[in-house]
Amino acid sequence: AQSVTQLDSQVPVFEEAPVELRCNYSSSVSVYLFWYVQYPNQGLQLLLKYLSGSTLVKGINGFEAEFNKSQTSFHLRKPSVHISDTAEYFCAVCAGTSYDKVIFGPGTSLSVIP
Amino acid sequence: KAGVTQTPRYLIKTRGQQVTLSCSPISGHRSVSWYQQTPGQGLQFLFEYFSETQRNKGNFPGRFSGRQFSNSRSEMNVSTLELGDSALYLCASSLSGGYNEQFFGPGTRLTVL
C-alpha cells in the first residue's frame, strides 16, 4: 500500500521569501507524483506532476519540485512567494493508471505574510 | 471554455435524509470522478464514471452512489445521511481518465445536522 506524508501542516512565510513544502511517500512499487493547490472556496488545481524522465519538474505559477527516489521525497519549492500563493497544497501519489489509485496527503496550509 | 460546475454549492440536510449533487464536466470530457474532502480524512476517492459506466470505485458504503448521463453530466446520491457525511464533495473531469489532467469543480459543501 502507498502512503503520503506532508510533515508541515502549516507554513507561514514572508512575501518574496523562498518556500519549500515537504512531501514524503512510501510505496513498494514505482509511483507517479503530483502536487495540487486549493485556493479558498475552490477545487483543486494541478501544479505539476512527475511521471518519468527528469527528476526536476517545473509547474505553473513558478513552482517546481524534485523527485528523489532514494529519499522517497517530492518536495515543492518556489524561490519567491506572493500573497496570492496563500492556499492549501496537496501532494499525491499514484501507483496505477486510474484515479482510484491516487492517495492524497493531508495538505499543507501556506500563509504568505505581507 | 467553461470549467467544471457543481450544483448546489451549499446544502444543509438532516440525518436520515438523502441528497443528490450534480456535476457538469468541461465540454468534451468523458470521465467524471467524485471525491469527499473532510478535515479528518482528507481527500478520498468515491468513484469514477466514463461513458455512463462506473469504472472505478473507492472504499465507501453503498449509501453513496452515482450515475452519468449521455451528455457526461454526473450526479452523486447519498442516502440515509449521517453526521459523518458532512464534507466538501468535489467533482473532477478529464478527457478520458488515466493520467489525463483532472479539472476540479469548486465543490458542494454538505452539512448534515
Side-chain angles (χ1 to χ4, degrees):
Chain A
Q2 296 76 44
S3 67
V4 183
T5 303
Q6 291 181 248
L7 292 170
D8 306 304
S9 60
Q10 297 184 18
V11 173
V13 61
F14 285 104
E15 192 174 15
E16 297 184 6
V19 69
E20 177 180 84
L21 305 183
R22 297 180 291 169
C23 172
N24 288 87
Y25 68 92
S26 67
S27 176
S28 57
V29 299
S30 295
V31 296
Y32 306 100
L33 299 154
F34 308 83
W35 274 99
Y36 288 87
V37 61
Q38 185 176 31
Y39 299 104
N41 297 315
Q42 294 188 30
L44 275 69
Q45 180 182 12
L46 181 66
L47 276 176
L48 47 81
K49 61 184 176 185
Y50 171 79
L51 301 183
S52 64
S54 172
T55 57
L56 183 61
V57 181
K58 293 191 182 298
I60 62 172
N61 301 342
F63 284 94
E64 65 179 32
E66 185 155 20
F67 170 55
N68 189 319
K69 189 174 182 180
S70 62
Q71 297 186 6
T72 60
S73 67
F74 191 54
H75 301 333
L76 181 71
R77 302 185 184 99
K78 185 169 182 177
S80 176
V81 296
H82 189 267
I83 295 289
S84 60
D85 292 323
T86 294
E88 192 83 14
Y89 291 79
F90 294 93
C91 179
V93 302
C94 181
T97 58
S98 56
Y99 298 129
D100 63 320
K101 302 295 190 297
V102 177
I103 305 296
F104 287 90
T108 295
S109 178
L110 175 64
S111 298
V112 180
I113 305 162
Chain B
K1 186 186 267 190
V4 178
T5 58
Q6 293 187 245
T7 56
R9 292 292 312 275
Y10 302 91
L11 263 179
I12 299 177
K13 293 285 187 179
T14 57
R15 281 180 296 173
Q17 287 187 308
Q18 75 165 23
V19 66
T20 299
L21 313 181
S22 180
C23 171
S24 292
I26 292 172
S27 177
H29 285 192
R30 297 168 63 191
S31 167
V32 175
S33 297
W34 289 89
Y35 296 84
Q36 182 195 66
Q37 185 177 22
T38 60
Q41 299 297 319
L43 272 155
Q44 294 183 286
F45 173 83
L46 279 156
F47 29 65
E48 179 200 4
Y49 284 87
F50 181 79
S51 294
E52 302 179 65
T53 301
Q54 189 180 87
R55 185 155 72 173
N56 293 295
K57 189 177 188 304
N59 188 26
F60 277 81
R63 300 186 296 106
F64 292 83
S65 62
R67 59 177 176 169
Q68 186 181 34
F69 302 95
S70 58
N71 61 358
S72 293
R73 189 178 70 85
S74 178
E75 287 182 348
M76 189 191 92
N77 186 77
V78 187
S79 62
T80 320
L81 285 166
E82 301 177 359
L83 295 178
D85 297 334
S86 293
L88 180 67
Y89 289 89
L90 295 167
C91 163
S93 78
S94 74
L95 280 171
S96 59
Y99 293 124
N100 285 298
E101 179 179 351
Q102 286 185 297
F103 294 84
F104 284 79
T108 294
R109 173 76 61 185
L110 173 65
T111 301
V112 182
L113 302 177

